[in-house]
Amino acid sequence: MTTYDTDATAATGTVRLTVVQNSPDVTLDAYADQLAADLRVVRPYDGDTIPAADEVGDGLVVLGGHMSAYDDDRAPWLPALRETLLAAATTGVPALGICLGAQLLAVAGGGQVQVAAPPGREVGATRVFWRADAEADPVLSALAVPAAGDAPVRYVTSMHADAVVDLPSGAVWLGSSNMYPYQAFRLGSALGVQFHPEATRAGFEVWCDAFDDVDTAAALAGFDEHAPEILDGGRRLAEAFVAEVRATVAQRVPA
């Protein structure tokens, strides 16, 4: 497990993020460069221990994976990860759950995920509809109500067959798609997104090829059609999340 270089962090003022990678091929991808932070990557499938919420540094990112949010037998670290996610959300630690990460956040907070949900796998360029609360969200506002000169982000990248079907009590619903309602939500200081803002075209193509029910050529054609918007949206989300982490750290530091 990679650990923090605490001396470098103190010297540079760079925020520290823990990233939980649940499957070998579901990586940070573009976010390895776009998250401007000191990154500690935890790989529990290789035996790394899930840290507690007070051990993640300044923020937490939980990536996707091939297991379901309930698949504790296949991925025995999931109970600890759900506990850490919920503790982060309820103690003011900024967290970002992506795809499986969002589903784990929902389950941890008392919501429900449907495994192999109808109407089926949501793949590729997905039209997202931001709800009014997204305009005030510290992270998603960068996509829903961008800076002057930019347009709202309308398309994101999806790759999931399970889906959140009930949000936790107290969660704020932030975005939907035509296929699935809960594309984004906030629970306390944690943001869950069903889509994959970190995915590059190359990473997305690897996922497409891994599933028999995905038409790779069609999925890539859709991605290519909206690639500038998809990739720009992912970058905006990364920058906004790090900005939220930095603001949270600043609030904790005495003047």
Side-chain angles (χ1 to χ4, degrees):
M1 179 172 64
T2 304
T3 58
Y4 289 126
D5 182 343
T6 52
D7 291 338
T9 299
T12 64
T14 302
V15 297
R16 302 169 301 147
L17 300 178
T18 291
V19 179
V20 179
Q21 180 178 337
N22 290 292
S23 293
D25 62 339
V26 187
T27 69
L28 277 166
D29 207 346
Y31 275 16
D33 297 318
Q34 292 176 355
L35 289 173
D38 180 9
L39 303 176
R40 173 178 65 160
V41 180
V42 174
R43 299 177 177 88
Y45 55 85
D46 271 345
D48 290 347
T49 300
I50 299 295
D54 60 0
E55 299 172 335
V56 301
D58 302 315
L60 172 67
V61 178
V62 179
L63 300 175
H66 293 290
M67 63 291 296
S68 82
Y70 302 107
D71 213 349
D72 297 356
D73 289 339
R74 179 180 178 187
W77 61 87
L78 291 186
L81 182 50
R82 291 192 296 266
E83 182 178 348
T84 292
L85 265 170
L86 183 59
T90 55
T91 59
V93 177
L96 173 63
I98 296 173
C99 198
L100 172 65
Q103 295 167 8
L104 289 166
L105 175 63
V107 171
Q112 297 290 324
V113 168
Q114 187 170 9
V115 177
R121 186 180 299 277
E122 188 171 46
V123 180
T126 299
R127 177 70 164 93
V128 66
F129 301 91
W130 304 118
R131 294 172 62 85
D133 285 325
E135 299 179 4
D137 187 80
V139 177
L140 284 187
S141 58
L143 283 67
V145 186
D150 290 331
V153 172
R154 299 171 302 157
Y155 283 90
V156 296
T157 301
S158 296
M159 178 62 80
H160 70 105
D162 301 350
V164 177
V165 292
D166 287 305
L167 291 179
S169 176
V172 181
W173 183 15
L174 300 174
S176 63
S177 72
N178 287 321
M179 186 173 285
Y180 288 108
Y182 301 120
Q183 286 290 332
F185 66 95
R186 177 169 290 278
L187 183 65
S189 57
L191 172 67
V193 294
Q194 182 61 76
F195 53 91
H196 282 278
E198 84 287 7
T200 60
R201 187 188 193 278
F204 176 61
E205 184 174 8
V206 170
W207 296 342
C208 289
D209 287 340
F211 294 102
D212 293 338
D213 61 346
V214 174
D215 182 335
T216 298
L220 289 175
F223 183 100
D224 291 341
E225 180 181 357
H226 300 287
E229 184 173 357
I230 287 171
L231 298 174
D232 183 56
R235 177 192 58 78
R236 289 190 208 176
L237 196 153
E239 292 176 353
F241 177 66
V242 172
E244 180 197 22
V245 174
R246 191 174 297 281
T248 301
V249 170
Q251 291 171 2
R252 295 199 303 259
V253 176

